[in-house]
Amino acid sequence: MNLLDFVISPAYAQSAPAAGGGMGMQLLFPIALIAIMYFLMIRPQMKRQKEHRAMLEKLAKGDEVITNGGLAGTIAEIGESFITVQVADNVQVRVQKGAIANVLPKGTLKSA
């Protein structure tokens, strides 16, 4: 027994792998993994983006909205890429269109 055998284990030759149809199984796993990721992650995200884009196109003056930052107010002006939201009397805030998170039902802010 050599002293190096205690520090480094000896390497032994391995037998050759059995011949078979292993290539098909090796390709099937990554393809299945990509398909699962598409249906669980990518497709729902694309659907949410499409719904958000449609909501932004339907915005009108007087709609009650909530921004991503949590500000709730009424739309006073709509520009091409910015919206002016009135959060209180004589208090207006300009936000980007994409920052609008939700449109509230009419009268929600009055009851709060």
Side-chain angles (χ1 to χ4, degrees), residues 9-33:
S9 61
Y12 299 105
Q14 295 180 346
S15 62
M23 187 64 158
M25 290 302 287
Q26 288 178 351
L27 288 176
L28 184 63
F29 182 71
I31 292 172
L33 188 63

Side-chain angles (χ1 to χ4, degrees), residues 5-63:
D5 289 343
F6 291 113
V7 180
I8 302 172
S9 61
Y12 299 105
Q14 295 180 346
S15 62
M23 187 64 158
M25 290 302 287
Q26 288 178 351
L27 288 176
L28 184 63
F29 182 71
I31 292 172
L33 188 63
I34 291 170
I36 290 171
M37 285 182 59
Y38 175 77
F39 284 107
L40 292 180
M41 295 173 61
I42 298 170
R43 191 166 179 236
Q45 180 64 26
M46 289 171 50
K47 184 178 178 184
R48 278 191 296 270
Q49 285 177 345
K50 185 177 178 182
E51 290 171 354
H52 188 254
R53 228 177 287 122
M55 185 232 359
L56 291 178
E57 290 173 2
K58 292 179 185 177
L59 288 177
K61 186 175 179 180
D63 284 348

Side-chain angles (χ1 to χ4, degrees), residues 52 55-56 59-60 63-87 91-103:
H52 188 254
M55 185 232 359
L56 291 178
L59 288 177
D63 284 348
E64 296 177 356
V65 295
I66 292 185
T67 65
N68 287 336
L71 286 175
T74 307
I75 295 178
E77 287 181 38
I78 298 178
E80 190 171 317
S81 59
F82 288 94
I83 294 178
T84 303
V85 179
Q86 183 173 353
V87 293
V91 179
Q92 294 183 348
V93 179
R94 287 180 57 105
V95 296
Q96 286 184 332
K97 265 190 178 179
I100 302 297
N102 287 324
V103 177

